[in-house]
Short mmCIF file of all heavy atoms in Angstrom, two decimals:
data_model
loop_
_atom_site.label_atom_id
_atom_site.label_comp_id
_atom_site.label_asym_id
_atom_site.label_seq_id
_atom_site.Cartn_x
_atom_site.Cartn_y
_atom_site.Cartn_z
N PHE O 145 61.74 103.44 110.03
CA PHE O 145 60.80 103.25 111.02
C PHE O 145 61.29 103.65 112.41
O PHE O 145 62.45 103.39 112.76
CB PHE O 145 60.46 101.68 111.09
CG PHE O 145 59.54 101.34 112.27
CD1 PHE O 145 58.16 101.57 112.12
CD2 PHE O 145 59.97 100.86 113.44
CE1 PHE O 145 57.25 101.28 113.15
CE2 PHE O 145 59.13 100.61 114.49
CZ PHE O 145 57.76 100.81 114.32
N VAL O 146 60.51 104.32 113.14
CA VAL O 146 60.86 104.82 114.49
C VAL O 146 59.60 104.60 115.47
O VAL O 146 58.49 104.80 115.00
CB VAL O 146 61.26 106.29 114.50
CG1 VAL O 146 60.19 107.15 114.01
CG2 VAL O 146 61.81 106.82 115.78
N CYS O 147 59.88 104.21 116.65
CA CYS O 147 58.78 104.01 117.59
C CYS O 147 58.11 105.40 117.85
O CYS O 147 58.76 106.49 117.80
CB CYS O 147 59.33 103.53 118.93
SG CYS O 147 59.97 101.76 118.71
N HIS O 148 56.79 105.32 118.30
CA HIS O 148 56.09 106.57 118.57
C HIS O 148 56.79 107.49 119.54
O HIS O 148 56.79 108.66 119.36
CB HIS O 148 54.71 106.09 119.18
CG HIS O 148 53.71 105.77 118.08
ND1 HIS O 148 53.06 106.68 117.28
CD2 HIS O 148 53.20 104.53 117.71
CE1 HIS O 148 52.28 106.03 116.45
NE2 HIS O 148 52.38 104.71 116.74
N GLU O 149 57.39 106.88 120.57
CA GLU O 149 58.06 107.73 121.60
C GLU O 149 59.15 108.58 121.06
O GLU O 149 59.50 109.52 121.65
CB GLU O 149 58.44 106.92 122.80
CG GLU O 149 59.59 105.86 122.46
CD GLU O 149 59.84 104.87 123.61
OE1 GLU O 149 60.67 105.29 124.49
OE2 GLU O 149 59.23 103.81 123.59
N TYR O 150 59.78 108.11 119.93
CA TYR O 150 60.91 108.91 119.33
C TYR O 150 60.48 109.73 118.13
O TYR O 150 61.35 110.33 117.51
CB TYR O 150 62.09 107.94 118.91
CG TYR O 150 62.66 107.22 120.17
CD1 TYR O 150 62.38 106.00 120.58
CD2 TYR O 150 63.59 107.99 120.96
CE1 TYR O 150 62.98 105.46 121.67
CE2 TYR O 150 64.17 107.49 122.11
CZ TYR O 150 63.83 106.19 122.47
OH TYR O 150 64.43 105.60 123.49
N ARG O 151 59.27 109.54 117.71
CA ARG O 151 58.80 110.22 116.41
C ARG O 151 59.01 111.72 116.37
O ARG O 151 59.63 112.23 115.48
CB ARG O 151 57.32 109.89 116.26
CG ARG O 151 56.83 110.47 114.85
CD ARG O 151 55.37 110.03 114.71
NE ARG O 151 54.95 110.17 113.34
CZ ARG O 151 54.22 111.26 112.86
NH1 ARG O 151 54.06 112.25 113.69
NH2 ARG O 151 53.97 111.41 111.65
N GLN O 152 58.49 112.44 117.40
CA GLN O 152 58.59 113.96 117.38
C GLN O 152 60.06 114.29 117.43
O GLN O 152 60.52 115.28 116.87
CB GLN O 152 57.77 114.50 118.50
CG GLN O 152 57.62 116.01 118.35
CD GLN O 152 57.07 116.44 116.94
OE1 GLN O 152 55.97 115.99 116.56
NE2 GLN O 152 57.83 117.32 116.25
N LYS O 153 60.81 113.66 118.34
CA LYS O 153 62.24 114.00 118.51
C LYS O 153 63.04 113.80 117.13
O LYS O 153 63.77 114.67 116.70
CB LYS O 153 62.95 113.20 119.53
CG LYS O 153 64.41 113.64 119.83
CD LYS O 153 65.02 112.81 120.99
CE LYS O 153 66.44 113.24 121.21
NZ LYS O 153 67.16 112.42 122.26
N SER O 154 62.65 112.72 116.46
CA SER O 154 63.22 112.41 115.19
C SER O 154 62.91 113.52 114.14
O SER O 154 63.76 113.97 113.36
CB SER O 154 62.81 111.09 114.63
OG SER O 154 63.12 110.06 115.59
N ILE O 155 61.67 113.89 114.14
CA ILE O 155 61.28 114.99 113.26
C ILE O 155 62.02 116.26 113.52
O ILE O 155 62.48 116.92 112.67
CB ILE O 155 59.69 115.21 113.31
CG1 ILE O 155 58.96 113.95 112.71
CG2 ILE O 155 59.33 116.47 112.60
CD1 ILE O 155 57.43 113.96 112.98
N ASP O 156 62.05 116.66 114.81
CA ASP O 156 62.75 117.85 115.20
C ASP O 156 64.26 117.86 114.73
O ASP O 156 64.78 118.92 114.31
CB ASP O 156 62.61 118.03 116.70
CG ASP O 156 61.22 118.33 117.21
OD1 ASP O 156 60.32 118.78 116.37
OD2 ASP O 156 60.93 118.14 118.48
N VAL O 157 64.89 116.74 115.06
CA VAL O 157 66.34 116.63 114.68
C VAL O 157 66.44 116.74 113.10
O VAL O 157 67.36 117.45 112.59
CB VAL O 157 66.91 115.24 115.16
CG1 VAL O 157 68.25 115.00 114.45
CG2 VAL O 157 67.07 115.23 116.63
N LEU O 158 65.58 116.14 112.33
CA LEU O 158 65.66 116.20 110.84
C LEU O 158 65.35 117.63 110.38
O LEU O 158 66.06 118.15 109.42
CB LEU O 158 64.77 115.17 110.25
CG LEU O 158 65.28 113.72 110.45
CD1 LEU O 158 64.13 112.72 109.91
CD2 LEU O 158 66.45 113.50 109.64
#
Side-chain angles (χ1 to χ4, degrees):
F145 176 79
V146 63
C147 294
H148 280 283
E149 63 187 274
Y150 293 101
R151 183 176 195 267
Q152 192 56 54
K153 183 178 178 184
S154 299
I155 292 170
D156 294 342
V157 166
L158 291 168

